[in-house]
């Protein structure tokens, strides 16, 4: 298989990368290696070069979508992933595109894609989690609760799901339920020797709302130990 440098020299003559045996796979492999190493711009450059030769190359559009997503360039990620919605749509591409539109706060586009992702993988924690936070964004707390509870059933150790479920319970004024959700997550995280910062960060305002001043202060002080720069904890102690 030719190296990427050899491919570049060959394609000056061949014009089309696909006309040189092995060059597409070489380029894709190098781009994927760069992306996996966090060298997103280097990966993007190779994917773009491949697309100049073959604008329909699904793997390159997918790779660009992932790289742009990692860089927080969500509009560009959406543009690339949209290229895969028809013939080349995979469950992974559908789910990522749903999350991209969620990050862009485009519920109208995110929600049907997330529903498709759940339908394709009904036992996928991340799919239910994503659909739940999309419902939360759309102002449907009942549906958000249903999806987040399902996600937590599938993976009771997923602390991020517990925090998001508690946030919906808070929005509904169900502060005792939110406290119970977070306290249970806190115990599991401690038993599993995982970071408790995000859970405690969410728990402080819940204790405040319940009038549990001493518990709230304890949690705020713990958050400051775990995350010294958190200004919200300083406000809670003020």
């Amino acid at each position: 298989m030719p190296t990427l440098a050899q491919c570049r020299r060959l394609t000056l003559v061949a014009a089309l990368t696909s006309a040189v045996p092995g060059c597409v796979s070489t380029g894709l492999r190098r781009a994927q290696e760069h992306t996996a190493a966090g060298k997103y711009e280097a990966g993007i450059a190779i994917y773009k070069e491949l697309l100049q030769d073959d604008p329909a190359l699904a793997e390159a559009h997918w790779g660009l979508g992932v790289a742009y997503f990692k860089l927080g360039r969500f509009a560009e990620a959406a543009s690339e992933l949209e290229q895969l919605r028809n013939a080349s749509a995979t469950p992974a591409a559908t789910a990522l595109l749903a999350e991209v539109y969620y990050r862009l706060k485009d519920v109208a586009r995110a929600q049907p894609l997330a529903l498709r992702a759940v339908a394709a993988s009904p036992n996928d924690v991340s799919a239910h989690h994503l659909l739940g936070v999309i419902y939360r964004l759309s102002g449907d707390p009942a549906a958000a609760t249903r999806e987040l509870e399902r996600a937590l059933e599938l993976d009771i150790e997923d602390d991020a799901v517990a925090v998001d479920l508690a946030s919906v319970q808070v929005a509904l004024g169900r502060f005792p339920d939110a406290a119970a959700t977070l306290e249970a997550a806190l115990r599991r995280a401690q038993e599993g020797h995982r970071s408790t910062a995000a859970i405690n960060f969410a728990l402080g305002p819940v204790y405040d709302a319940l009038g549990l001043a001493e518990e709230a202060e304890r949690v705020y002080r713990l958050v400051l130990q775990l995350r010294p720069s958190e200004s919200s904890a300083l406000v809670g102690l003020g």
Side-chain angles (χ1 to χ4, degrees):
M1 183 176 292
T3 66
L4 190 57
Q6 289 171 332
C7 285
R8 288 181 177 135
R9 288 195 296 271
L10 288 167
T11 52
L12 290 174
V13 178
L16 292 175
T17 303
S18 56
V20 183
C23 283
V24 172
S25 57
T26 296
L28 288 172
R29 189 185 72 253
R30 292 294 295 132
Q32 290 160 0
E33 288 171 353
H34 283 312
T35 301
K39 299 176 182 178
Y40 302 117
E41 295 293 353
I44 286 169
I46 296 175
Y47 285 129
K48 284 184 173 180
E49 186 176 335
L50 290 168
L51 285 171
Q52 286 178 359
D53 295 327
D54 183 0
L57 186 61
E59 295 91 341
H61 285 296
W62 165 252
L64 276 175
V66 171
Y68 285 137
F69 179 83
K70 294 289 188 180
L71 289 170
R73 293 160 59 176
F74 300 123
E76 290 166 286
S79 178
E80 295 301 328
L81 294 169
E82 281 288 356
Q83 304 297 317
L84 306 175
R85 287 194 67 173
N86 297 319
S88 303
T90 64
T94 299
L96 185 58
L97 185 56
E99 184 164 358
V100 165
Y101 282 130
Y102 166 70
R103 299 296 185 94
L104 291 169
K105 300 189 185 306
D106 189 339
V107 173
R109 286 188 171 95
Q111 189 166 307
L113 288 165
L115 284 166
R116 281 173 53 191
V118 168
S121 303
N123 293 321
D124 187 327
V125 176
S126 61
H128 286 283
H129 187 186
L130 177 60
L131 184 55
V133 295
I134 290 171
Y135 278 134
R136 180 183 61 185
L137 181 63
S138 72
D140 190 343
T145 299
R146 181 186 68 242
E147 295 300 326
L148 293 169
E149 286 180 343
R150 176 58 180 152
L152 204 56
E153 287 175 4
L154 290 168
D155 185 0
I156 196 66
E157 302 294 326
D158 195 321
D159 302 327
V161 172
V163 169
D164 283 329
L165 175 58
S167 76
V168 176
Q169 292 167 332
V170 165
L172 291 169
R174 294 167 48 189
F175 295 104
D177 290 338
T181 295
L182 292 169
E183 287 168 348
L186 185 61
R187 287 192 297 273
R188 292 192 296 268
Q190 290 169 335
E191 291 168 359
H193 305 287
R194 299 189 301 277
S195 172
T196 62
I199 301 169
N200 279 298
F201 190 72
L203 195 50
V206 174
Y207 282 149
D208 267 335
L210 290 170
L212 301 174
E214 291 185 4
E215 289 299 306
E217 181 176 348
R218 177 184 60 78
V219 169
Y220 287 132
R221 291 191 184 282
L222 183 57
V223 169
L224 283 176
Q225 291 175 14
L226 297 169
R227 295 180 176 177
S229 63
E230 291 292 357
S231 60
S232 296
L234 290 171
V235 173
L237 287 170

